[in-house]
Amino acid sequence: MTTRRSLFALVASSLLLGACATAPQGADQPPIVFAHGNGDSASIWQSTVWRFESNGWPRERLHAIDLPYPLARDDNSKAQPGRTSTDDHMAYLKAEVDKVLKATGAKQVVLVANSRGGNAVRNYIQNGGGDKTVSHAVLGGTPNHGVWATKGFREGNEFSGTGPFLTALNAPKNAAGDEVTGPVKWMTIRSDNNDKFAQPDGLWIGAKGTPTNVTFEGPALKGATNAVLPRVDHRETSFSPAAFETTYRFITGRAPTTLVPTPQAPVVLNGKITGLGLVPTDPATGNYANNLPLPGAQLMVYATDPATGERKGAAVHSKTVGADGLWGPFTAQAGVPHEFVISAPGYATTHIYRSPFPRSSELIHLRAERIAAADKDAKSTVTFTRPRGYFDAQRDKMAFDSKALPGVPPAGAGVSSSKIKVMEDGVRAIPAEFNGEKIVGRTWPAAENRLVVLELTY
């Protein structure tokens, strides 16, 4: 039985400990399978994979799954086009684990999950045979006791703490009342108070002032090692340097040598171009999320000037993607930012600006977008997005077009993107900065059915 204990991990102490650590080598490095959260994709693990690689983990032993339909059903028991049930999710994870075991020859894997991915991990280990194929399970920000826990309120949803799915997972497994299934070694990672889905008030689920009956401790599980990270947001429970350090130490028993991805040359990039499906991620925008490839989409890549966002010459890569949706491989210029331009029938021409890539990756997934109906009056629309975390006005140093980020509240970390509707004509530079990472894009005309995304890596 794993005893429950609390860890309080700080990045500063992690760096001190990491200075004298040595990464495990060779066969001691088990395959790791990463499971993303609700509405996300494998690309969200990009920087985490870099950190493992930078600490000596073989790239072929790091596998991020890409659930084709990543959104949960409104009611888990009722079929819903473009969404997955908990059984669907578990079956996909099980199949991916089987592939990794076969490819590596390993007997067991480590599962590392964020948010909803942890539901699939728990279901697989408890009900799908994963107790035999998994050695360690790490759950970052998983709402193990629900996003809400109110009798009679949306109990068919898998995120209901009083619903049948979580009630069954949390049922005591032994006389000690442990909520985790042995002999797997379990860790949960949670925020002390800044996770939007572990809040006593219903603000972030559209019910401000209504108790959720869930506390900041909601992601913790009896029988697991339960780590607490100060001030991290929901996604940072998995994707922050502190979360990586905590995860690495739990798997290996030692600190990593570095928390920063080390530079690599050459930098070879690849990924999948996806589109928008049937089920709205946000009905207000009209945009829809899935992880299916978008065959026929065209991609052009340009090196850009870091100060102005202007293109430095002709395209450095171009491709019309096939059935697999893969847009690479592409060898990027080290230390140079790039603009990725996606064109596809039924979509806006999507200009995605990224800061320089320090290492190679096959997880640079790109999504074609559509202009929202509410933005039709703008001369240009520019979205500043942080896929691996949220914006916190009290914690982060950030600016968008040299101003505060529109739509980001003065307190709390509940928003991961900010949009500016540019109302003047012409194309100009538009900068964005977050805790030292800076991206400069251009305000392409919406009248030409173009939109702009400035996407953070960290």
Side-chain angles (χ1 to χ4, degrees):
M1 178 183 73
T2 304
T3 58
R4 178 175 179 172
R5 54 196 181 275
S6 177
L7 303 177
F8 202 83
L10 296 171
V11 174
S13 62
S14 300
L15 290 168
L16 290 172
L17 289 168
C20 60
T22 302
Q25 297 297 321
D28 293 335
Q29 298 158 309
I32 303 176
V33 177
F34 301 94
H36 61 74
N38 198 43
D40 290 329
S41 75
S43 65
I44 206 162
W45 294 104
Q46 172 195 306
S47 58
T48 302
V49 168
W50 281 343
R51 291 185 177 106
F52 272 101
E53 290 177 344
S54 298
N55 283 278
W57 223 276
R59 178 64 188 87
E60 64 272 14
R61 285 181 166 252
L62 301 167
H63 178 76
I65 74 169
D66 213 24
L67 186 65
Y69 296 104
L71 288 165
R73 294 175 176 179
D74 291 330
D75 186 320
N76 191 48
S77 66
K78 297 179 181 178
Q80 190 173 1
R83 299 207 183 199
T84 44
S85 68
T86 54
D87 286 345
D88 298 333
H89 201 177
M90 180 183 74
Y92 189 84
L93 174 61
K94 177 179 171 62
E96 293 296 294
V97 169
D98 288 345
K99 289 178 186 176
V100 170
L101 291 173
K102 183 176 180 180
T104 62
K107 293 182 178 180
Q108 290 186 312
V109 301
V110 173
L111 295 182
V112 178
N114 175 250
S115 194
R116 188 195 180 203
N119 285 354
V121 167
R122 295 186 69 196
N123 198 12
Y124 169 54
I125 292 173
Q126 182 167 317
N127 303 310
D131 57 324
K132 300 178 182 64
T133 60
V134 178
S135 63
H136 298 68
V138 180
L139 313 180
T142 296
N144 289 312
H145 295 95
V147 176
W148 62 86
T150 304
K151 281 288 187 181
F153 176 72
R154 296 187 64 193
E155 289 187 295
N157 190 282
E158 71 175 85
F159 300 120
S160 168
T162 55
F165 176 69
L166 287 180
T167 298
L169 286 183
N170 293 332
K173 308 300 186 292
N174 53 31
D178 286 348
E179 297 172 302
V180 294
T181 303
V184 177
K185 297 176 182 177
W186 292 84
M187 170 175 274
T188 72
I189 304 176
R190 70 170 178 90
S191 176
D192 54 351
N193 60 18
N194 204 29
D195 184 337
K196 67 183 288 185
F197 296 124
Q199 295 289 324
D201 185 86
L203 171 64
W204 295 113
I205 58 172
K208 183 179 180 180
T210 302
T212 63
N213 301 311
V214 175
T215 71
F216 302 138
E217 296 184 4
L221 288 169
K222 188 172 184 180
T225 297
N226 294 300
V228 183
L229 304 183
R231 201 58 187 166
V232 298
D233 61 50
H234 179 65
R235 289 177 179 168
E236 289 172 338
T237 58
S238 291
F239 310 119
S240 64
F244 168 74
E245 192 275 343
T246 303
T247 299
Y248 187 95
R249 184 187 296 276
F250 180 66
I251 297 169
T252 67
R254 68 198 81 185
T257 57
T258 181
L259 303 183
V260 179
T262 56
Q264 178 187 46
V267 175
V268 181
L269 305 176
N270 203 347
K272 185 170 56 177
I273 293 180
T274 61
L276 304 169
L278 297 172
V279 182
T281 303
D282 181 354
T285 67
N287 287 335
Y288 309 89
N290 64 44
N291 293 323
L292 302 177
L294 186 61
Q298 295 180 311
L299 179 72
M300 305 285 283
V301 184
Y302 299 87
T304 61
D305 185 293
T308 66
E310 291 185 282
R311 296 170 180 173
K312 298 171 68 174
V316 292
H317 177 73
S318 63
K319 185 174 180 179
T320 300
V321 303
D324 58 8
L326 296 179
W327 60 263
F330 159 62
T331 301
Q333 298 178 46
V336 175
H338 288 84
E339 174 194 1
F340 298 81
V341 185
I342 307 169
S343 303
Y347 294 87
T349 299
T350 305
H351 300 256
I352 302 171
Y353 291 85
R354 296 288 300 265
S355 57
F357 294 87
R359 298 182 62 84
S360 298
S361 178
E362 296 181 352
L363 297 176
I364 312 302
H365 295 347
L366 308 169
R367 174 163 284 145
E369 303 283 357
R370 300 186 182 108
I371 298 177
D375 298 335
K376 297 292 187 181
D377 60 332
K379 300 296 184 181
S380 180
T381 62
V382 185
T383 298
F384 182 30
T385 184
R386 187 180 177 221
R388 295 160 196 88
Y390 291 81
F391 296 125
D392 187 333
Q394 293 177 311
R395 178 194 66 184
D396 302 318
K397 182 180 180 180
M398 53 191 180
F400 188 10
D401 205 18
S402 304
K403 304 179 187 69
L405 277 61
V408 174
V415 176
S416 62
S417 66
S418 174
K419 183 186 293 182
I420 288 178
K421 294 170 63 173
V422 179
M423 305 307 290
E424 69 268 14
D425 289 314
V427 177
R428 64 172 176 85
I430 185 162
E433 185 172 0
F434 177 84
N435 291 345
E437 183 179 355
K438 187 174 182 180
I439 306 172
V440 180
R442 307 289 290 175
T443 58
W444 292 91
E448 298 176 4
N449 196 28
R450 299 174 183 269
L451 57 79
V452 180
V453 178
L454 312 181
E455 182 178 325
L456 288 162
T457 296
Y458 300 104

